[in-house]
Amino acid sequence: KFEAGTPNISGVIGLSQAIDFIHQYNQSELLEFEMQLMQRAKSQLQLIDGLTIIGDVEPKLPVLSFVVEDEHPSDIATLLDQQKIAVRSGHHCAMPFMEHLELSGTIRASFFAYNAPSDVNAFIAAVKKASEFF
């Protein structure tokens, strides 16, 4: 009622489609699949020199945050983007926590139903290339 112009109709339609997409899967099987992808990525990331996984606790969602020693998260994210790998970088709305950890931010990768094992392979290859670039 207080928003000027046309209401966000496309957002409502998009949300409806997203809900339909999610409901076509068994939620437990979906989470298990996503966790398998995340575990696959985690096991490979742990082999990269100078890379540290942040917030590796249980229980866990299919999300990995990490840093590369002596490199700014935005620089790594930019190199991944150039290799067509989408990640988030920065404080992730947790600046006090990042300050507590004495980090300028992290790189965050999320895994979901539309990802495949080949996406994890491409992600790992891109992270290796980015970490070796510097």
Side-chain angles (χ1 to χ4, degrees):
K1 119 181 181 182
F2 299 111
E3 190 173 328
T6 305
N8 186 7
I9 296 167
S10 62
V12 172
I13 294 168
L15 177 61
S16 173
Q17 291 299 307
I19 291 169
D20 290 346
F21 176 79
I22 291 293
H23 281 114
Q24 71 182 340
Y25 296 100
N26 174 296
Q27 296 305 296
S28 323
E29 291 174 5
L30 179 61
L31 181 59
E32 183 179 333
F33 173 74
E34 294 165 351
M35 293 301 288
Q36 287 173 358
L37 293 175
M38 191 266 307
Q39 288 293 76
R40 179 183 181 134
K42 176 183 165 187
S43 68
Q44 294 298 307
L45 286 176
Q46 290 174 323
L47 300 175
I48 299 173
D49 289 334
L51 188 144
T52 303
I53 295 174
I54 306 296
D56 192 23
V57 297
E58 297 293 331
K60 186 163 182 58
L61 292 173
V63 175
L64 284 172
S65 294
F66 62 95
V67 294
V68 176
E69 187 177 18
D70 298 326
E71 302 307 332
H72 196 278
S74 296
D75 294 338
I76 298 295
T78 298
L79 291 173
L80 295 177
D81 178 62
Q82 291 171 352
Q83 298 176 72
K84 304 200 181 326
I85 302 295
V87 294
R88 297 280 187 188
S89 68
H91 295 123
H92 314 293
C93 299
M95 191 170 189
F97 182 58
M98 294 294 168
E99 288 176 351
H100 172 75
L101 296 175
E102 298 180 358
L103 296 172
S104 61
T106 65
I107 302 120
R108 186 181 70 205
S110 305
F111 304 90
F112 190 62
Y114 46 69
N115 293 122
S118 60
D119 295 325
V120 174
N121 295 341
F123 167 64
I124 295 301
V127 171
K128 286 180 181 176
K129 186 174 179 180
S131 65
E132 291 167 358
F133 179 80
F134 296 103

